[in-house]
Structure formats: C-alpha cells, structure tokens
Amino acid sequence: MGEQNSALFPTYGRFPYTLVRGKGSRLWDDEGKEYLDFASGLAVTNLGHVPDKVKARLAAQLDELWHVSNLFHIPNQEKLAGLLTASSCADAVFFCNSGAEANEAAIKLARRYYQKVLKQDKYEIITFRQSFHGRTLATLTATGQDKVQDGFRPLPEGFVYAPYNDAEALQSFIGEKTCAIMLELVQAEGGVLVADPEFVRQVARLCRERRLLLIVDEVQTGMGRTGKLFAYQHYGIEPDIFTLAKGLGSGFPIGAMLGKAKLTEAFSPGSHGSTFGGTPLATAAGIATVEQMLEEKLPDRVAELGEYTMGRLKEKLGNNPLVREIRGLGFLIGIHCVKPVAGLIAAIHEAGVFVVSAGPEVVRLLPNFLISREELDRGIDIIGKVFAEQAAHTISS
C-alpha cells in the first residue's frame, strides 16, 4: 500500500520494501527477494529473527496467561528482574513497554528521589548534545537534538545540554538545581559516537563528589550490543539508574528501568505505573532472551565478531574516498562518510543488505549476535562493493 493511500499518520520515512518473513539473519520481502539484515530492527532482534527459544517460551505462555495488570503478583516479572539484577549493579527493576518509557521512569525517579526522599528541591538533569532519549515530551526534551524537539514547544523545563566527551566543560553545567547526569555510552542515533573512558570516569567522579545521580541510557547499547551485557561494564563504573528496551524482548515490546536499592523508597505504591508494563507475555520473551544470552555467552561472541567486523570493514573501506572514519563498539558500528548517506543506503539495500543511518552522514550496522561469519563476510563484501561503485561514480562525475 502506498503512503498516499494509507490510513496511518505519515510519521516515518519508510524504505520502499514490504517485509513479510524473517529467520535468523535473513529477511524476505513480498516479492520473495531475500536480504541479509544488518539492521536488526534498530538493535532489537539481537538473537536474529524468530529465535527458536524465545518463540517456544512465548508459545507456552500464550496457552497460560496474557495479562492481569500490575495489581497482582506476576511471577515472570520477578524471574526476569532477578536475572537482570544478578547480572548487573542494579537492585530493583521497573518494567514498561519501550525505551522512551524507561527513560521517562528514570527521569521521574531521579526527581522524586531528591524531592521526596532527600527533601531537596532539585530537578534539573544534564544530558548531552547529539543525544537521543525518546519521543515523549520529557525524553525528547532530554534529547540534545533540535530536530527532535522541533514543533513541540513549549518543552518541559529542567534539562540542560553539555558537550559530549568534554569533562571540563561539564562541570560548568552543574547548578544548585542539578539532580542527575544522563548519558549514552555510545550515542547511537547521534552518529555512533563512543564515550571516551576518561570522560566517563570523570562523569562518575563528578556525580560522587556533587552527590548527583548517574543515569546511563542503555536502550540501544544494553543486552550485549557492545560486547558486554551492559555498556557501562566496559568503563568500570556503576550507574545509579540505567535503562533497557530494544534487545530485551527479541522483538516483543518491553522496557525496563533499573536502579540501586537506595532509590526504591522514591517509587512507593501509586507514584508510578504502567498498564502493560511487564505482562506475562512480555516478560516471558525477556526471560528467554536473557537466559539464552547468558547461557551461550553471546556478549563475548559480539566482542569477538565485532572486532572482526571492524577489521574487515577497514580492509574494504579504509582507502575509499567516501569514508571519513569507521567507529563503534561491538555490533554497534558506524561508517562516517564525507557526504549524506541516503543514496549509499538505498544502493546497499538494493544489493541485498539492510542497514540504517545514524544521522545524515553515518551508515549504521547492527548485526544480530548469532550471525555466521560467512553471513558477515558476505554482507561486508556487498557493502564494500557498493562503496567502491559509488566512489567511482563520484570521481567520474
């Protein structure tokens, strides 16, 4: 169906493909053409499409119970929360449905902790330029990109934007109303910009010294995407709060906000909630996903294959005049180009590999964690061929 005939709001600039089936690293469109998927539904299908263990857990749950509301105990929630806290620095989990909702919960928890528990009138949160934290009014305001905020003013007060990877500048943004610093350890939507380790250590030090909460947005980096189960584990820090979504349910909608025990007093009964947060179905998908990641040590596989992929890409593209830099962490990789990449991405799709952008000049690669080395090589060869053809065309024209 064309967009002009659709009953949907036109909020998405869609690629001209209708995908109808997927398995593992492959997708098929409605004309039967097969593609390699290096996008993973925007870092969601981390175990590939229709993973068998998650499918089996969901099928079993479908025969038992779908929804009861959070007015009742839900055993799957307790089990998934236990898996997540046992594997992280967190002590408690709040389940919701998306990354935006998880970040919204983190913002609310930080403010309420200061105002209700510590009895301090603090509410301001420092985020970073080029960040992305969601599409609700609070989370788009937390996002340090004008294009995301355009047309939605007046925006809620209480957010300021510091330059990324600049610890010295950050200090000047801390004021008497500051309660937290919120950051991504890889700014995925902002261009696949990786946080400098010394910068992250300084952020953590500032939070300790100034008694601020440290919030890490792991919506895209969490669940093994960077080669650790959670990206903060690369940096030797412990956030007070961190958020998850995308890869937590293998494509089934689920989000989570995790925090330290000291914060549980701030979220007392009635202070926050979600009708669909943590349903038996969503948490069944989450349990199966996390169990498989832990049992098969998939973050370790991502670390190994991510390094291999970066090496192959640098071999293929290192001398290509269209490429400025290849950067990333694990299976979150960006190819920064010298010009807008919309045409490059369209050509890569037509050649049989799905990738996405990360801003106007960056091609983003997000393979699933179970992809074979042969599939990786095939996809990289296709990408390399398209870049070579585009560079030759640019030079000839």
Side-chain angles (χ1 to χ4, degrees), residues 59 67 181 196 280 320:
H67 178 82
I181 298 174
D196 178 73
N320 190 294

Side-chain angles (χ1 to χ4, degrees), residues 91-317:
D91 301 301
V93 183
F94 173 83
F95 288 113
C96 50
N97 309 287
S98 67
E101 288 176 71
N103 285 334
E104 186 92 12
I107 291 164
K108 290 178 69 176
L109 178 60
R111 288 184 172 187
R112 191 172 172 86
Y113 175 68
Y114 272 88
Q115 295 174 35
K116 291 294 186 180
V117 178
L118 299 184
K119 309 298 183 184
Q120 297 178 22
D121 183 25
K122 295 188 176 185
Y123 57 87
E124 195 169 81
I125 296 175
I126 298 171
T127 65
F128 294 90
R129 296 171 194 163
Q130 292 304 116
S131 61
F132 182 86
H133 298 293
R135 299 282 188 174
T136 67
L137 271 177
T139 56
L140 72 82
T141 307
T143 294
Q145 299 187 50
D146 288 340
K147 67 179 183 181
V148 176
Q149 301 172 354
D150 185 40
F152 297 110
R153 291 174 173 81
L155 301 175
E157 65 174 313
F159 297 92
V160 296
Y161 316 109
Y164 195 60
N165 273 334
D166 189 339
E168 185 176 349
L170 174 61
Q171 298 187 55
S172 66
F173 287 83
I174 300 173
E176 61 179 19
K177 298 295 185 182
T178 306
C179 69
I181 298 174
M182 183 176 189
L183 81 159
E184 301 157 284
L185 295 169
V186 182
Q187 287 190 330
E189 301 294 332
V192 191
L193 303 172
V194 181
D196 178 73
E198 181 57 28
F199 167 70
V200 176
R201 285 192 287 271
Q202 291 299 322
V203 172
R205 178 187 62 80
L206 280 170
C207 286
R208 289 194 304 271
E209 291 178 355
R210 304 295 289 270
R211 296 184 178 179
L212 309 175
L213 295 178
L214 175 57
I215 305 171
V216 175
D217 179 342
E218 295 253 19
V219 169
Q220 188 155 159
T221 57
M223 305 316 302
R225 175 57 56 184
T226 66
K228 298 281 188 183
L229 191 61
F230 309 112
Y232 77 80
Q233 294 169 332
H234 287 285
Y235 292 90
I237 63 166
E238 289 194 1
D240 297 290
I241 302 169
F242 67 97
T243 55
L244 303 171
K246 291 187 180 291
L248 182 54
S250 294
F252 204 96
I254 184 171
M257 186 272 299
L258 299 89
K260 295 284 195 178
K262 67 181 183 181
L263 303 172
T264 57
E265 187 180 349
F267 264 10
S268 53
S271 60
H272 190 53
S274 172
T275 296
F276 294 107
T279 64
L281 278 171
T283 44
I287 290 165
T289 299
V290 176
E291 285 182 342
Q292 184 169 353
M293 284 194 185
L294 296 175
E295 290 166 5
E296 298 182 18
K297 299 182 178 178
L298 293 182
D300 293 343
R301 188 172 194 273
V302 170
E304 177 188 347
L305 287 181
E307 186 175 345
Y308 172 78
T309 302
M310 289 282 281
R312 285 288 331 273
L313 286 168
K314 288 176 180 178
E315 286 175 14
K316 286 282 182 182
L317 304 177

